[in-house]
Amino acid sequence: GILLHILHLFAPNLRLNVPRTNADDICCNPLSMGAIKKMMEEEIPGIYVLSLMIGKNVVQDTENGFFMDVNQQVSLVCSQLAQDARLKGGFNAMGFSQGAQFLRAVAQRCPSPPMKTLISVGGQHQGVYGLPRCPGESSHICDVIRKALNSGAYSDMVQKHLVQAQYWHDPLNDDLYKKHSLFLADINQERAVNETYKKNLQLLEKFVMVKFLQDSVVDPVVSEWFGFLKTGQAKETETLQESLLYKEDRLGLAAMDKAGKLVFLATEGDHLQFTREWFNANLLPYLR
């Protein structure tokens, strides 16, 4: 089995019985994503794990997680995958936090090499409306981001240069979101139905979504299961199954659900907080 994982910011570190620091979950940090990679290599002998880096080094990878156009990041990942001979027979993908929706875009846009299983760990598939807490060393960046989002998430400037704006989903300004969201509105078929996206996503054998029950980072947390706030207000939420996206089956999710391809997992804990035991019992079986 081949596993690919991508990770991104806005997360406290993963609890993995290794020494902790407060560094962010950048691609090759040995204490966060590096620990996950090492753990998988220990648990599944012979597995090939590719940790995606967006940029030439860890510093660039961190900055790009905040400031590089997501569509450009997805294109870079697609070309990395296409050039890796070890992936040509297909691979399983695991995305942490915002990395999960970026990997879903990879599945929808780049069907070769084929992604078999996509595991979304705390991903925000309907975006976010709020930035409640941004832990660790990035908190000063988060203050800047919050101000930019509140003042004009859908302005051209903010959309092009702020990653979090590209999955900012304002239920009170639905028309603005649909018209100006450069990334999320496109991959969620908000403007038109792209039949290729729909066909490609349905090529997945499994799409596993993990929700953290005490998540204090993702708002609303139901986005981790592809639900969101009902349009026109910011209090009541709806599940994926209650949404228009599902009822009209604009992305193929209803068909996937009926075919048993969607898996909804919930776990106690805050954003990306889980134990090695939980990971091994609940996620590893999808990677073997």
Side-chain angles (χ1 to χ4, degrees):
I2 289 167
L3 167 80
L4 154 81
H5 75 244
I6 189 172
L7 63 301
H8 272 280
L9 301 156
F10 289 153
N13 279 321
L14 303 159
R15 280 202 199 112
L16 282 174
N17 309 331
V18 290
R20 301 259 53 83
T21 70
N22 217 2
D24 288 301
D25 290 325
I26 44 183
C27 125
C28 307
N29 182 328
L31 297 182
S32 53
M33 286 303 124
I36 292 272
K37 180 179 192 292
K38 184 168 176 284
M39 181 179 80
M40 286 190 278
E41 288 165 346
E42 286 166 4
E43 295 291 339
I44 308 175
I47 193 174
Y48 168 56
V49 182
L50 171 66
S51 201
L52 291 164
M53 186 186 281
I54 309 292
K56 292 188 172 68
N57 53 48
V58 166
V59 173
Q60 281 186 11
D61 188 63
T62 308
E63 287 175 355
N64 290 337
F66 284 112
F67 303 119
M68 184 182 192
D69 183 319
V70 180
N71 293 309
Q72 207 180 331
Q73 293 192 46
V74 170
S75 294
L76 280 174
V77 168
C78 287
S79 61
Q80 277 186 49
L81 302 183
Q83 286 161 25
D84 193 325
R86 285 170 290 191
L87 299 180
K88 69 174 186 291
F91 61 93
N92 298 315
M94 183 177 290
F96 293 85
S97 200
Q98 67 185 21
Q101 59 265 31
F102 301 170
L103 275 178
R104 174 163 64 84
V106 170
Q108 290 174 209
R109 292 174 180 173
C110 309
S112 179
M115 188 184 293
K116 293 174 177 176
T117 293
L118 172 58
I119 300 176
S120 163
V121 185
Q124 305 98 41
H125 293 282
Q126 275 290 7
V128 295
Y129 184 56
L131 211 57
R133 189 169 66 83
C134 189
E137 294 164 0
S138 306
S139 55
H140 62 288
I141 303 184
C142 285
D143 293 337
V144 174
I145 287 172
R146 198 175 277 111
K147 282 184 185 135
L149 291 172
N150 288 334
S151 67
Y154 299 120
S155 71
D156 234 29
M157 179 72 181
V158 175
Q159 277 291 310
K160 285 198 173 80
H161 299 289
L162 188 56
V163 164
Q164 290 67 37
Q166 293 176 38
Y167 57 87
W168 184 259
H169 187 168
D170 185 343
L172 305 177
N173 287 290
D174 199 49
D175 290 348
L176 272 182
Y177 158 67
K178 285 178 175 168
K179 194 173 173 190
H180 297 291
S181 166
L182 288 181
F183 173 71
L184 192 71
D186 176 64
I187 64 160
N188 284 0
Q189 310 275 49
E190 297 282 13
R191 289 187 276 269
V193 173
N194 179 326
E195 291 296 341
T196 305
Y197 285 1
K198 188 173 174 177
K199 184 183 80 189
N200 289 344
L201 191 64
Q202 290 180 85
L203 295 173
L204 287 174
E205 292 165 14
K206 290 283 181 200
F207 178 14
V208 181
M209 287 171 263
V210 178
K211 178 171 81 170
F212 292 90
L213 294 172
Q214 285 80 41
D215 202 310
S216 65
V217 175
V218 175
D219 186 14
V221 72
V222 70
S223 186
E224 296 179 351
W225 274 4
F226 230 124
F228 202 62
L229 294 157
K230 291 180 180 172
T231 303
Q233 50 83 62
K235 284 202 173 81
E236 272 186 77
T237 59
E238 64 183 12
T239 63
L240 166 64
Q241 288 78 3
E242 290 163 341
S243 71
L244 213 55
L245 176 71
Y246 185 94
K247 287 174 178 168
E248 296 179 352
D249 208 13
R250 297 170 72 85
L251 197 49
L253 291 164
M256 291 175 76
D257 202 9
K258 288 179 182 71
K261 290 184 172 190
L262 301 187
V263 180
F264 299 91
L265 300 179
T267 182
E268 297 297 330
D270 202 345
H271 194 57
L272 304 194
Q273 299 289 305
F274 54 83
T275 62
R276 182 171 182 154
E277 292 68 31
W278 182 88
F279 185 92
N280 289 353
N282 294 278
L283 299 184
L284 270 194
Y286 293 103
L287 301 173
R288 291 189 186 277

